[in-house]
Amino acid sequence: MIVGMGGVNAAGRTSGHQAFRRTVIDALPDDDQQQLLLSLAALMGLGSHRDGSWHDARGQAVSASLLAEQCRERVLDHTLIRRIEDPRFNDDGLPANRRASLGLGSELVFRIRRRQLPERLPATWQVRELDRHTLEVTVPPGDLDVMLPETRPALVRAAGQLPSGFDPSRHYRSVHHPRGLSMSIFAASDCLGSSGLTWETLRDRLDPDEVAVYAGNSIGQLDDEGWGGLLKSFVSGNRATSKQMPLGYGQMPADFLNAYVLGSVGGTGAVLGACASFLYNLRLGCEDIRSGQRRAVMVGTSDAPVTPEIIEAFAPWAPWPTTRASRRWTPWNC
């Protein structure tokens, strides 16, 4: 028996069927459209309901009908699949680097802060100290391998994204959590709220082994707060943090939800199977309940793959046209 559901996708919250209603908004009666627009406006930070009345983003009291009308265009334009809103995908292009070999016809002299100078230098480089913080480096004529900063046009500029203005990490005490993990934590809380059950009461009536969580990410936590930042720390010149490795695991949502959201010591796990990850985890939960091994199971998955690296990795074999007319494409199953 499914007693609750929660989470947010590009159309809105799963609980209360908000996301479904967004996809069929044009077919809804006017009153239902207004209610949907107001709920999405609240989710996106365009308005709020307090003290028995609606308020706009500036805190001014407005009628429900006026707020819905004011927010309608923005709500419709900034939900579902749309142009990627990450500023790195703007017209200037994605930040990147290009390898180059410079042929120096004469000495190259430059100044650099001491902390920015590599620990190991070529034997032919000469370094002179100018003060405690600044060094002068002389490079002799010859070949010099460098990385030149550049921007590259994004091959894909549209994707399904969370509604604009909604950030799951703002709804709890998040400290550098990967986005996929933040989405899972919000979804679990939303699910418990929609169930109408008090989790503490339910947990106290169950043995720890009768509770399980199956949740994960099909693509892992590959943004800068997870393994994405960890894997490129050397080439980007940034330090790896103590959280990137543990929080980057694909099954981390299950472990985190079980320990810190549910406060449980029951079973956890995750099956990572690309677009079918949720269905695989759902099967685990169903099998546990049918066998009598568990009495309460939370199942879910969340992915946050809208990063330059992941988008560009999918582009060469995606079934949609890209910005390069000559690029071939191959169908894929997601």
Side-chain angles (χ1 to χ4, degrees), residues 17-301:
H17 302 286
Q18 182 190 73
F20 169 73
R21 290 191 174 96
R22 169 61 185 92
T23 62
V24 296
I25 186 172
D26 293 333
L28 297 178
D30 291 343
D31 289 345
D32 290 347
Q33 288 192 30
Q34 176 177 300
Q35 182 180 4
L36 173 62
L37 291 170
L38 290 173
S39 62
L40 283 171
L43 182 72
M44 299 167 65
L46 304 176
S48 60
H49 188 270
R50 60 181 185 273
D51 301 328
S53 61
W54 282 97
H55 297 75
D56 60 20
R58 297 172 297 177
Q60 301 294 323
V62 294
S63 66
S65 58
L66 179 58
L67 180 60
E69 185 61 30
Q70 290 176 344
C71 297
R72 182 182 184 90
E73 182 177 357
R74 180 163 181 82
V75 167
L76 297 183
D77 289 346
H78 292 271
T79 51
L80 303 183
I81 296 175
R82 58 196 186 275
R83 178 158 182 162
I84 297 176
E85 297 171 349
D86 186 325
R88 291 175 293 181
F89 287 84
N90 60 24
D91 293 334
D92 294 334
L94 300 173
N97 293 302
R98 182 176 294 274
R99 293 181 180 273
S101 180
L102 306 182
L104 302 181
S106 59
E107 287 185 346
L108 172 66
V109 180
F110 61 89
R111 295 182 178 183
I112 187 172
R113 293 182 64 84
R114 183 186 298 271
R115 61 183 300 181
Q116 295 176 337
L117 192 69
E119 294 183 5
R120 296 184 179 182
L121 298 176
T124 56
W125 286 23
Q126 298 179 6
V127 179
R128 183 168 69 92
E129 183 178 288
L130 299 180
D131 55 46
R132 290 192 309 166
H133 305 291
T134 309
L135 302 174
E136 182 181 86
V137 180
T138 301
V139 181
D143 293 333
L144 177 63
D145 294 330
V146 297
M147 297 283 283
L148 300 178
E150 68 167 349
T151 57
R152 301 176 185 175
L155 299 180
V156 176
R157 298 189 182 183
Q161 305 153 84
L162 297 183
S164 299
F166 172 72
D167 183 355
S169 65
R170 295 179 182 174
H171 294 266
Y172 72 101
R173 189 176 179 181
S174 167
V175 183
H176 304 297
H177 282 177
R179 188 168 177 82
L181 178 59
S182 294
M183 292 166 59
S184 297
I185 294 171
F186 179 89
S189 178
D190 193 28
C191 177
L192 293 175
S194 72
S195 71
L197 301 174
T198 302
W199 173 249
E200 289 75 11
T201 302
L202 180 61
R203 182 186 59 194
D204 292 342
R205 299 181 62 179
L206 298 173
D207 290 334
D209 289 340
E210 293 179 324
V211 180
V213 179
Y214 297 116
N217 305 91
S218 68
I219 205 166
Q221 316 274 350
L222 290 181
D223 53 0
D224 287 346
E225 287 72 27
W227 281 2
L230 176 68
L231 294 175
K232 64 183 181 183
S233 60
F234 273 17
V235 296
S236 65
N238 296 318
R239 291 184 177 181
T241 71
S242 60
K243 293 184 177 181
Q244 286 172 325
M245 172 59 80
L247 295 185
Y249 281 104
Q251 80 276 9
M252 178 50 62
D255 298 336
F256 197 97
L257 294 179
N258 188 65
Y260 298 107
V261 177
L262 301 183
S264 172
V265 293
T268 65
V271 176
L272 310 183
C275 303
S277 293
F278 172 76
L279 297 179
Y280 288 138
N281 289 312
L282 180 61
R283 183 184 65 184
L284 290 178
C286 291
E287 290 176 349
D288 278 4
I289 291 176
R290 287 169 178 166
S291 67
Q293 185 177 3
R294 316 287 185 192
R295 296 185 62 190
V297 179
M298 178 172 284
V299 176
T301 189

